Amino acid sequence: MNEITTVPRKGRKFDQVLKGAREVFLADGFEGASVDDIARAAGVSKATLYSYFPDKRVLFKEIARCECERMAERITETIDESRPPREVLTVVARHAVTFMLSRFALRIFRICVAEQERFPDLARAFYANGPEMGRHRLSEYLSCAVARGELAIEDVGMAADQFSELCKARLWPRAVFGVQAEFSEDEIEEVVRHAVEMFMARFGTA
């Protein structure tokens, strides 16, 4: 099936449509989300919905893009590059772990995996706007830290990937498989602390 590349048209009810669709997708999944239900949740007509998003996949991808971009912006805004890498990475890890354990991220991940064979562009879009974008932004920071002599890394892309995997330790697998649904701040902070300590033990220069 050809990949959908249509760019949604902005308008007065654009955000309203996204909000309604987000609720329906999270509740019913991609296949179970009907256009009628989305239009009803958004408080718009089907004609209005189609004027913004002629295909349900375009709508789904836009929701994933907006949420991932919002998370990335929050992380970027809280990064103070004048601070030591340990402090910066702690902030990044805390945001990343919290987002990965969120209901939204887990639900979208499951939808993308479930629909990968029929709609591979959904999974690719989520990867591009989520993990890949996060890897790019973290790599940019790591490159700057290397240039300042604060970290010693030969392959910043690989290091960014490794840091992301460290942030998935223990809690993320339990969340994905439904073993655990609620996570305390202490549990999250433990994962964050170990991820940063392991990373700094390998790449720190101090």
Side-chain angles (χ1 to χ4, degrees):
M1 181 176 293
N2 291 333
E3 185 169 328
I4 301 298
T5 58
T6 304
V7 177
R9 178 171 60 85
K10 301 289 184 177
R12 184 169 56 88
K13 295 187 177 181
F14 181 82
D15 291 336
Q16 188 174 324
V17 170
L18 286 184
K19 181 179 179 182
R22 184 184 191 278
E23 295 173 0
V24 176
F25 280 131
L26 291 183
D28 301 333
F30 179 79
E31 188 63 22
S34 71
V35 173
D36 287 332
D37 289 341
I38 292 173
R40 188 178 305 112
V44 301
S45 67
K46 288 174 65 174
T48 297
L49 176 60
Y50 281 126
S51 72
Y52 291 121
F53 300 98
D55 187 284
K56 192 168 68 170
R57 285 178 292 165
V58 181
L59 176 53
F60 180 88
K61 292 195 293 184
E62 180 65 11
I63 291 171
R65 186 194 67 77
C66 288
E67 291 291 336
C68 291
E69 189 173 82
R70 189 176 295 117
M71 188 274 289
E73 287 176 352
R74 283 199 298 267
I75 294 178
T76 301
E77 290 171 357
T78 57
I79 289 179
D80 181 355
E81 294 190 5
S82 67
R83 306 303 302 166
R86 185 179 295 274
E87 293 183 23
V88 173
L89 292 172
T90 296
V91 172
V92 172
R94 189 175 293 126
H95 280 288
V97 174
T98 301
F99 179 75
M100 286 189 290
L101 296 177
S102 69
R103 176 173 175 263
F104 171 84
L106 289 169
R107 185 60 170 152
I108 296 298
F109 174 79
R110 291 180 181 129
I111 291 173
C112 288
V113 171
E115 303 291 347
Q116 192 278 327
E117 290 191 4
R118 288 190 301 168
F119 305 115
D121 54 309
L122 296 181
R124 287 196 294 266
F126 180 63
Y127 179 81
N129 291 295
E132 190 171 54
M133 181 170 63
R135 176 183 187 272
H136 176 70
R137 297 198 179 187
L138 180 57
S139 294
E140 288 181 335
Y141 166 72
L142 295 178
S143 295
C144 292
V146 169
R148 292 193 295 267
E150 298 171 337
L151 296 173
I153 303 174
E154 292 184 4
D155 186 338
V156 293
M158 176 61 77
D161 288 334
Q162 291 170 334
F163 187 70
S164 176
E165 293 304 311
L166 288 171
C167 290
K168 292 180 180 178
R170 183 177 292 174
L171 302 185
W172 190 77
R174 296 178 66 82
V176 167
F177 290 106
V179 177
Q180 187 175 347
E182 300 293 333
F183 302 91
S184 68
E185 290 187 11
D186 287 343
E187 288 178 303
I188 292 174
E189 286 302 314
E190 183 178 22
V191 171
V192 169
R193 177 171 59 82
H194 280 288
V196 174
E197 286 182 356
M198 182 74 73
F199 191 85
M200 292 302 298
R202 174 63 179 86
F203 297 114
T205 57

PDB file of all heavy atoms in Angstrom, residues 150-183:
ATOM      1  N   GLU A 150      33.714  17.359  27.853  1.00  0.00           N
ATOM      2  CA  GLU A 150      32.971  16.847  29.006  1.00  0.00           C
ATOM      3  C   GLU A 150      32.639  15.361  28.869  1.00  0.00           C
ATOM      4  O   GLU A 150      32.422  14.673  29.864  1.00  0.00           O
ATOM      5  CB  GLU A 150      31.677  17.637  29.180  1.00  0.00           C
ATOM      6  CG  GLU A 150      31.914  19.120  29.474  1.00  0.00           C
ATOM      7  CD  GLU A 150      30.630  19.941  29.433  1.00  0.00           C
ATOM      8  OE1 GLU A 150      29.661  19.499  28.775  1.00  0.00           O
ATOM      9  OE2 GLU A 150      30.598  21.015  30.057  1.00  0.00           O
ATOM     10  N   LEU A 151      32.591  14.887  27.629  1.00  0.00           N
ATOM     11  CA  LEU A 151      32.335  13.478  27.360  1.00  0.00           C
ATOM     12  C   LEU A 151      33.327  12.995  26.309  1.00  0.00           C
ATOM     13  O   LEU A 151      33.804  13.788  25.493  1.00  0.00           O
ATOM     14  CB  LEU A 151      30.903  13.270  26.843  1.00  0.00           C
ATOM     15  CG  LEU A 151      29.756  13.603  27.791  1.00  0.00           C
ATOM     16  CD1 LEU A 151      28.424  13.511  27.053  1.00  0.00           C
ATOM     17  CD2 LEU A 151      29.754  12.673  29.009  1.00  0.00           C
ATOM     18  N   ALA A 152      33.638  11.704  26.339  1.00  0.00           N
ATOM     19  CA  ALA A 152      34.537  11.108  25.346  1.00  0.00           C
ATOM     20  C   ALA A 152      33.752  10.042  24.591  1.00  0.00           C
ATOM     21  O   ALA A 152      33.594   8.908  25.070  1.00  0.00           O
ATOM     22  CB  ALA A 152      35.758  10.503  26.034  1.00  0.00           C
ATOM     23  N   ILE A 153      33.243  10.405  23.409  1.00  0.00           N
ATOM     24  CA  ILE A 153      32.389   9.509  22.630  1.00  0.00           C
ATOM     25  C   ILE A 153      32.860   9.506  21.182  1.00  0.00           C
ATOM     26  O   ILE A 153      33.030  10.563  20.572  1.00  0.00           O
ATOM     27  CB  ILE A 153      30.913   9.968  22.673  1.00  0.00           C
ATOM     28  CG1 ILE A 153      30.420  10.066  24.121  1.00  0.00           C
ATOM     29  CG2 ILE A 153      30.036   9.021  21.864  1.00  0.00           C
ATOM     30  CD1 ILE A 153      29.024  10.653  24.244  1.00  0.00           C
ATOM     31  N   GLU A 154      33.063   8.323  20.621  1.00  0.00           N
ATOM     32  CA  GLU A 154      33.452   8.220  19.217  1.00  0.00           C
ATOM     33  C   GLU A 154      32.237   8.245  18.298  1.00  0.00           C
ATOM     34  O   GLU A 154      32.274   8.853  17.233  1.00  0.00           O
ATOM     35  CB  GLU A 154      34.250   6.931  18.997  1.00  0.00           C
ATOM     36  CG  GLU A 154      35.603   6.926  19.676  1.00  0.00           C
ATOM     37  CD  GLU A 154      36.394   5.665  19.357  1.00  0.00           C
ATOM     38  OE1 GLU A 154      35.900   4.851  18.541  1.00  0.00           O
ATOM     39  OE2 GLU A 154      37.490   5.510  19.903  1.00  0.00           O
ATOM     40  N   ASP A 155      31.166   7.591  18.690  1.00  0.00           N
ATOM     41  CA  ASP A 155      29.954   7.504  17.873  1.00  0.00           C
ATOM     42  C   ASP A 155      28.781   8.032  18.697  1.00  0.00           C
ATOM     43  O   ASP A 155      28.171   7.300  19.479  1.00  0.00           O
ATOM     44  CB  ASP A 155      29.713   6.050  17.459  1.00  0.00           C
ATOM     45  CG  ASP A 155      28.554   5.885  16.477  1.00  0.00           C
ATOM     46  OD1 ASP A 155      27.682   6.780  16.428  1.00  0.00           O
ATOM     47  OD2 ASP A 155      28.516   4.860  15.771  1.00  0.00           O
ATOM     48  N   VAL A 156      28.450   9.319  18.514  1.00  0.00           N
ATOM     49  CA  VAL A 156      27.402   9.927  19.346  1.00  0.00           C
ATOM     50  C   VAL A 156      26.022   9.336  19.027  1.00  0.00           C
ATOM     51  O   VAL A 156      25.155   9.267  19.903  1.00  0.00           O
ATOM     52  CB  VAL A 156      27.368  11.467  19.182  1.00  0.00           C
ATOM     53  CG1 VAL A 156      28.635  12.087  19.742  1.00  0.00           C
ATOM     54  CG2 VAL A 156      27.155  11.866  17.729  1.00  0.00           C
ATOM     55  N   GLY A 157      25.807   8.915  17.789  1.00  0.00           N
ATOM     56  CA  GLY A 157      24.535   8.295  17.443  1.00  0.00           C
ATOM     57  C   GLY A 157      24.323   7.002  18.209  1.00  0.00           C
ATOM     58  O   GLY A 157      23.241   6.759  18.759  1.00  0.00           O
ATOM     59  N   MET A 158      25.349   6.162  18.257  1.00  0.00           N
ATOM     60  CA  MET A 158      25.267   4.915  19.001  1.00  0.00           C
ATOM     61  C   MET A 158      25.101   5.190  20.496  1.00  0.00           C
ATOM     62  O   MET A 158      24.325   4.519  21.187  1.00  0.00           O
ATOM     63  CB  MET A 158      26.522   4.077  18.762  1.00  0.00           C
ATOM     64  CG  MET A 158      26.588   2.788  19.573  1.00  0.00           C
ATOM     65  SD  MET A 158      25.225   1.648  19.192  1.00  0.00           S
ATOM     66  CE  MET A 158      25.806   0.993  17.623  1.00  0.00           C
ATOM     67  N   ALA A 159      25.823   6.185  20.997  1.00  0.00           N
ATOM     68  CA  ALA A 159      25.715   6.541  22.415  1.00  0.00           C
ATOM     69  C   ALA A 159      24.308   7.016  22.762  1.00  0.00           C
ATOM     70  O   ALA A 159      23.770   6.680  23.822  1.00  0.00           O
ATOM     71  CB  ALA A 159      26.734   7.617  22.768  1.00  0.00           C
ATOM     72  N   ALA A 160      23.696   7.782  21.860  1.00  0.00           N
ATOM     73  CA  ALA A 160      22.328   8.240  22.084  1.00  0.00           C
ATOM     74  C   ALA A 160      21.371   7.058  22.124  1.00  0.00           C
ATOM     75  O   ALA A 160      20.456   7.002  22.952  1.00  0.00           O
ATOM     76  CB  ALA A 160      21.917   9.224  20.988  1.00  0.00           C
ATOM     77  N   ASP A 161      21.573   6.094  21.225  1.00  0.00           N
ATOM     78  CA  ASP A 161      20.741   4.889  21.221  1.00  0.00           C
ATOM     79  C   ASP A 161      20.905   4.105  22.522  1.00  0.00           C
ATOM     80  O   ASP A 161      19.931   3.611  23.097  1.00  0.00           O
ATOM     81  CB  ASP A 161      21.111   3.981  20.043  1.00  0.00           C
ATOM     82  CG  ASP A 161      20.648   4.539  18.709  1.00  0.00           C
ATOM     83  OD1 ASP A 161      19.669   5.309  18.684  1.00  0.00           O
ATOM     84  OD2 ASP A 161      21.281   4.211  17.687  1.00  0.00           O
ATOM     85  N   GLN A 162      22.142   4.009  22.982  1.00  0.00           N
ATOM     86  CA  GLN A 162      22.409   3.254  24.202  1.00  0.00           C
ATOM     87  C   GLN A 162      21.767   3.935  25.415  1.00  0.00           C
ATOM     88  O   GLN A 162      21.211   3.268  26.292  1.00  0.00           O
ATOM     89  CB  GLN A 162      23.918   3.114  24.402  1.00  0.00           C
ATOM     90  CG  GLN A 162      24.566   2.203  23.381  1.00  0.00           C
ATOM     91  CD  GLN A 162      26.083   2.242  23.425  1.00  0.00           C
ATOM     92  OE1 GLN A 162      26.680   3.234  23.839  1.00  0.00           O
ATOM     93  NE2 GLN A 162      26.711   1.155  22.994  1.00  0.00           N
ATOM     94  N   PHE A 163      21.803   5.262  25.443  1.00  0.00           N
ATOM     95  CA  PHE A 163      21.194   5.978  26.566  1.00  0.00           C
ATOM     96  C   PHE A 163      19.685   5.747  26.579  1.00  0.00           C
ATOM     97  O   PHE A 163      19.078   5.548  27.641  1.00  0.00           O
ATOM     98  CB  PHE A 163      21.503   7.470  26.480  1.00  0.00           C
ATOM     99  CG  PHE A 163      21.050   8.240  27.688  1.00  0.00           C
ATOM    100  CD1 PHE A 163      21.686   8.079  28.907  1.00  0.00           C
ATOM    101  CD2 PHE A 163      19.984   9.126  27.614  1.00  0.00           C
ATOM    102  CE1 PHE A 163      21.261   8.782  30.033  1.00  0.00           C
ATOM    103  CE2 PHE A 163      19.557   9.825  28.719  1.00  0.00           C
ATOM    104  CZ  PHE A 163      20.199   9.657  29.939  1.00  0.00           C
ATOM    105  N   SER A 164      19.076   5.766  25.396  1.00  0.00           N
ATOM    106  CA  SER A 164      17.647   5.511  25.296  1.00  0.00           C
ATOM    107  C   SER A 164      17.289   4.125  25.821  1.00  0.00           C
ATOM    108  O   SER A 164      16.293   3.947  26.533  1.00  0.00           O
ATOM    109  CB  SER A 164      17.199   5.647  23.840  1.00  0.00           C
ATOM    110  OG  SER A 164      15.833   5.310  23.691  1.00  0.00           O
ATOM    111  N   GLU A 165      18.116   3.125  25.485  1.00  0.00           N
ATOM    112  CA  GLU A 165      17.854   1.772  25.953  1.00  0.00           C
ATOM    113  C   GLU A 165      18.037   1.660  27.458  1.00  0.00           C
ATOM    114  O   GLU A 165      17.304   0.921  28.132  1.00  0.00           O
ATOM    115  CB  GLU A 165      18.775   0.778  25.227  1.00  0.00           C
ATOM    116  CG  GLU A 165      18.483   0.635  23.744  1.00  0.00           C
ATOM    117  CD  GLU A 165      17.036   0.236  23.482  1.00  0.00           C
ATOM    118  OE1 GLU A 165      16.564  -0.731  24.127  1.00  0.00           O
ATOM    119  OE2 GLU A 165      16.392   0.904  22.659  1.00  0.00           O
ATOM    120  N   LEU A 166      18.990   2.377  28.006  1.00  0.00           N
ATOM    121  CA  LEU A 166      19.179   2.375  29.459  1.00  0.00           C
ATOM    122  C   LEU A 166      17.939   2.924  30.167  1.00  0.00           C
ATOM    123  O   LEU A 166      17.575   2.461  31.252  1.00  0.00           O
ATOM    124  CB  LEU A 166      20.405   3.216  29.834  1.00  0.00           C
ATOM    125  CG  LEU A 166      21.779   2.624  29.498  1.00  0.00           C
ATOM    126  CD1 LEU A 166      22.873   3.660  29.716  1.00  0.00           C
ATOM    127  CD2 LEU A 166      22.048   1.368  30.332  1.00  0.00           C
ATOM    128  N   CYS A 167      17.293   3.889  29.542  1.00  0.00           N
ATOM    129  CA  CYS A 167      16.094   4.492  30.131  1.00  0.00           C
ATOM    130  C   CYS A 167      14.891   3.543  30.088  1.00  0.00           C
ATOM    131  O   CYS A 167      13.885   3.776  30.761  1.00  0.00           O
ATOM    132  CB  CYS A 167      15.739   5.795  29.400  1.00  0.00           C
ATOM    133  SG  CYS A 167      16.911   7.144  29.692  1.00  0.00           S
ATOM    134  N   LYS A 168      14.978   2.478  29.295  1.00  0.00           N
ATOM    135  CA  LYS A 168      13.887   1.504  29.188  1.00  0.00           C
ATOM    136  C   LYS A 168      14.040   0.353  30.184  1.00  0.00           C
ATOM    137  O   LYS A 168      13.169  -0.523  30.250  1.00  0.00           O
ATOM    138  CB  LYS A 168      13.837   0.925  27.770  1.00  0.00           C
ATOM    139  CG  LYS A 168      13.414   1.916  26.701  1.00  0.00           C
ATOM    140  CD  LYS A 168      13.397   1.241  25.342  1.00  0.00           C
ATOM    141  CE  LYS A 168      12.974   2.190  24.245  1.00  0.00           C
ATOM    142  NZ  LYS A 168      12.995   1.551  22.904  1.00  0.00           N
ATOM    143  N   ALA A 169      15.124   0.349  30.943  1.00  0.00           N
ATOM    144  CA  ALA A 169      15.378  -0.773  31.842  1.00  0.00           C
ATOM    145  C   ALA A 169      14.265  -0.933  32.874  1.00  0.00           C
ATOM    146  O   ALA A 169      13.690   0.036  33.364  1.00  0.00           O
ATOM    147  CB  ALA A 169      16.718  -0.571  32.554  1.00  0.00           C
ATOM    148  N   ARG A 170      13.929  -2.171  33.158  1.00  0.00           N
ATOM    149  CA  ARG A 170      13.003  -2.611  34.195  1.00  0.00           C
ATOM    150  C   ARG A 170      11.561  -2.179  34.002  1.00  0.00           C
ATOM    151  O   ARG A 170      10.666  -3.017  33.867  1.00  0.00           O
ATOM    152  CB  ARG A 170      13.475  -2.164  35.586  1.00  0.00           C
ATOM    153  CG  ARG A 170      12.559  -2.663  36.720  1.00  0.00           C
ATOM    154  CD  ARG A 170      13.070  -2.283  38.079  1.00  0.00           C
ATOM    155  NE  ARG A 170      14.316  -3.014  38.360  1.00  0.00           N
ATOM    156  CZ  ARG A 170      15.069  -2.816  39.430  1.00  0.00           C
ATOM    157  NH1 ARG A 170      14.721  -1.897  40.311  1.00  0.00           N
ATOM    158  NH2 ARG A 170      16.159  -3.523  39.625  1.00  0.00           N
ATOM    159  N   LEU A 171      11.276  -0.888  33.956  1.00  0.00           N
ATOM    160  CA  LEU A 171       9.888  -0.432  33.975  1.00  0.00           C
ATOM    161  C   LEU A 171       9.199  -0.532  32.626  1.00  0.00           C
ATOM    162  O   LEU A 171       8.029  -0.910  32.542  1.00  0.00           O
ATOM    163  CB  LEU A 171       9.815   1.014  34.491  1.00  0.00           C
ATOM    164  CG  LEU A 171      10.398   1.267  35.883  1.00  0.00           C
ATOM    165  CD1 LEU A 171      10.133   2.700  36.305  1.00  0.00           C
ATOM    166  CD2 LEU A 171       9.839   0.282  36.896  1.00  0.00           C
ATOM    167  N   TRP A 172       9.898  -0.154  31.538  1.00  0.00           N
ATOM    168  CA  TRP A 172       9.248  -0.138  30.232  1.00  0.00           C
ATOM    169  C   TRP A 172       8.767  -1.521  29.798  1.00  0.00           C
ATOM    170  O   TRP A 172       7.622  -1.648  29.346  1.00  0.00           O
ATOM    171  CB  TRP A 172      10.181   0.471  29.185  1.00  0.00           C
ATOM    172  CG  TRP A 172       9.509   0.731  27.874  1.00  0.00           C
ATOM    173  CD1 TRP A 172       8.663   1.751  27.576  1.00  0.00           C
ATOM    174  CD2 TRP A 172       9.611  -0.067  26.688  1.00  0.00           C
ATOM    175  NE1 TRP A 172       8.231   1.659  26.255  1.00  0.00           N
ATOM    176  CE2 TRP A 172       8.792   0.555  25.694  1.00  0.00           C
ATOM    177  CE3 TRP A 172      10.300  -1.220  26.358  1.00  0.00           C
ATOM    178  CZ2 TRP A 172       8.663   0.040  24.411  1.00  0.00           C
ATOM    179  CZ3 TRP A 172      10.175  -1.739  25.068  1.00  0.00           C
ATOM    180  CH2 TRP A 172       9.362  -1.111  24.113  1.00  0.00           C
ATOM    181  N   PRO A 173       9.560  -2.581  29.926  1.00  0.00           N
ATOM    182  CA  PRO A 173       9.037  -3.914  29.565  1.00  0.00           C
ATOM    183  C   PRO A 173       7.820  -4.303  30.394  1.00  0.00           C
ATOM    184  O   PRO A 173       6.877  -4.914  29.884  1.00  0.00           O
ATOM    185  CB  PRO A 173      10.226  -4.849  29.835  1.00  0.00           C
ATOM    186  CG  PRO A 173      11.429  -3.973  29.739  1.00  0.00           C
ATOM    187  CD  PRO A 173      10.989  -2.651  30.287  1.00  0.00           C
ATOM    188  N   ARG A 174       7.821  -3.958  31.665  1.00  0.00           N
ATOM    189  CA  ARG A 174       6.678  -4.278  32.524  1.00  0.00           C
ATOM    190  C   ARG A 174       5.431  -3.514  32.079  1.00  0.00           C
ATOM    191  O   ARG A 174       4.313  -4.042  32.137  1.00  0.00           O
ATOM    192  CB  ARG A 174       7.011  -3.949  33.988  1.00  0.00           C
ATOM    193  CG  ARG A 174       8.136  -4.792  34.573  1.00  0.00           C
ATOM    194  CD  ARG A 174       8.453  -4.391  36.005  1.00  0.00           C
ATOM    195  NE  ARG A 174       7.346  -4.687  36.908  1.00  0.00           N
ATOM    196  CZ  ARG A 174       7.095  -5.868  37.439  1.00  0.00           C
ATOM    197  NH1 ARG A 174       7.887  -6.899  37.165  1.00  0.00           N
ATOM    198  NH2 ARG A 174       6.077  -6.059  38.245  1.00  0.00           N
ATOM    199  N   ALA A 175       5.632  -2.291  31.613  1.00  0.00           N
ATOM    200  CA  ALA A 175       4.498  -1.496  31.138  1.00  0.00           C
ATOM    201  C   ALA A 175       3.970  -2.022  29.814  1.00  0.00           C
ATOM    202  O   ALA A 175       2.757  -2.158  29.617  1.00  0.00           O
ATOM    203  CB  ALA A 175       4.920  -0.033  30.989  1.00  0.00           C
ATOM    204  N   VAL A 176       4.870  -2.348  28.884  1.00  0.00           N
ATOM    205  CA  VAL A 176       4.468  -2.815  27.560  1.00  0.00           C
ATOM    206  C   VAL A 176       3.666  -4.104  27.645  1.00  0.00           C
ATOM    207  O   VAL A 176       2.667  -4.282  26.938  1.00  0.00           O
ATOM    208  CB  VAL A 176       5.717  -3.024  26.664  1.00  0.00           C
ATOM    209  CG1 VAL A 176       5.359  -3.810  25.412  1.00  0.00           C
ATOM    210  CG2 VAL A 176       6.296  -1.678  26.272  1.00  0.00           C
ATOM    211  N   PHE A 177       4.075  -5.011  28.524  1.00  0.00           N
ATOM    212  CA  PHE A 177       3.399  -6.305  28.632  1.00  0.00           C
ATOM    213  C   PHE A 177       2.246  -6.287  29.637  1.00  0.00           C
ATOM    214  O   PHE A 177       1.639  -7.327  29.899  1.00  0.00           O
ATOM    215  CB  PHE A 177       4.409  -7.393  28.998  1.00  0.00           C
ATOM    216  CG  PHE A 177       5.362  -7.721  27.889  1.00  0.00           C
ATOM    217  CD1 PHE A 177       6.684  -7.297  27.935  1.00  0.00           C
ATOM    218  CD2 PHE A 177       4.941  -8.433  26.773  1.00  0.00           C
ATOM    219  CE1 PHE A 177       7.569  -7.589  26.907  1.00  0.00           C
ATOM    220  CE2 PHE A 177       5.818  -8.738  25.735  1.00  0.00           C
ATOM    221  CZ  PHE A 177       7.137  -8.306  25.803  1.00  0.00           C
ATOM    222  N   GLY A 178       1.955  -5.123  30.184  1.00  0.00           N
ATOM    223  CA  GLY A 178       0.820  -5.007  31.088  1.00  0.00           C
ATOM    224  C   GLY A 178       1.029  -5.633  32.444  1.00  0.00           C
ATOM    225  O   GLY A 178       0.069  -5.885  33.180  1.00  0.00           O
ATOM    226  N   VAL A 179       2.271  -5.887  32.807  1.00  0.00           N
ATOM    227  CA  VAL A 179       2.573  -6.457  34.117  1.00  0.00           C
ATOM    228  C   VAL A 179       2.337  -5.429  35.219  1.00  0.00           C
ATOM    229  O   VAL A 179       1.919  -5.760  36.331  1.00  0.00           O
ATOM    230  CB  VAL A 179       4.033  -6.968  34.161  1.00  0.00           C
ATOM    231  CG1 VAL A 179       4.403  -7.492  35.547  1.00  0.00           C
ATOM    232  CG2 VAL A 179       4.241  -8.053  33.119  1.00  0.00           C
ATOM    233  N   GLN A 180       2.601  -4.169  34.898  1.00  0.00           N
ATOM    234  CA  GLN A 180       2.462  -3.079  35.858  1.00  0.00           C
ATOM    235  C   GLN A 180       1.920  -1.854  35.135  1.00  0.00           C
ATOM    236  O   GLN A 180       2.339  -1.547  34.026  1.00  0.00           O
ATOM    237  CB  GLN A 180       3.825  -2.770  36.495  1.00  0.00           C
ATOM    238  CG  GLN A 180       3.798  -1.771  37.622  1.00  0.00           C
ATOM    239  CD  GLN A 180       5.182  -1.626  38.275  1.00  0.00           C
ATOM    240  OE1 GLN A 180       6.082  -2.438  38.033  1.00  0.00           O
ATOM    241  NE2 GLN A 180       5.345  -0.612  39.104  1.00  0.00           N
ATOM    242  N   ALA A 181       0.962  -1.174  35.762  1.00  0.00           N
ATOM    243  CA  ALA A 181       0.328  -0.024  35.117  1.00  0.00           C
ATOM    244  C   ALA A 181       0.659   1.300  35.778  1.00  0.00           C
ATOM    245  O   ALA A 181       0.620   2.346  35.139  1.00  0.00           O
ATOM    246  CB  ALA A 181      -1.192  -0.211  35.080  1.00  0.00           C
ATOM    247  N   GLU A 182       0.971   1.269  37.055  1.00  0.00           N
ATOM    248  CA  GLU A 182       1.287   2.492  37.784  1.00  0.00           C
ATOM    249  C   GLU A 182       2.725   2.414  38.287  1.00  0.00           C
ATOM    250  O   GLU A 182       3.182   1.366  38.745  1.00  0.00           O
ATOM    251  CB  GLU A 182       0.333   2.675  38.970  1.00  0.00           C
ATOM    252  CG  GLU A 182      -1.141   2.766  38.581  1.00  0.00           C
ATOM    253  CD  GLU A 182      -1.441   4.037  37.801  1.00  0.00           C
ATOM    254  OE1 GLU A 182      -0.719   5.036  37.999  1.00  0.00           O
ATOM    255  OE2 GLU A 182      -2.395   4.028  37.002  1.00  0.00           O
ATOM    256  N   PHE A 183       3.415   3.570  38.205  1.00  0.00           N
ATOM    257  CA  PHE A 183       4.816   3.606  38.603  1.00  0.00           C
ATOM    258  C   PHE A 183       5.055   4.796  39.524  1.00  0.00           C
ATOM    259  O   PHE A 183       4.652   5.917  39.209  1.00  0.00           O
ATOM    260  CB  PHE A 183       5.719   3.697  37.373  1.00  0.00           C
ATOM    261  CG  PHE A 183       5.520   2.553  36.419  1.00  0.00           C
ATOM    262  CD1 PHE A 183       4.594   2.646  35.385  1.00  0.00           C
ATOM    263  CD2 PHE A 183       6.242   1.379  36.558  1.00  0.00           C
ATOM    264  CE1 PHE A 183       4.399   1.590  34.511  1.00  0.00           C
ATOM    265  CE2 PHE A 183       6.050   0.322  35.688  1.00  0.00           C
ATOM    266  CZ  PHE A 183       5.126   0.425  34.661  1.00  0.00           C
TER     267      PHE A 183
END
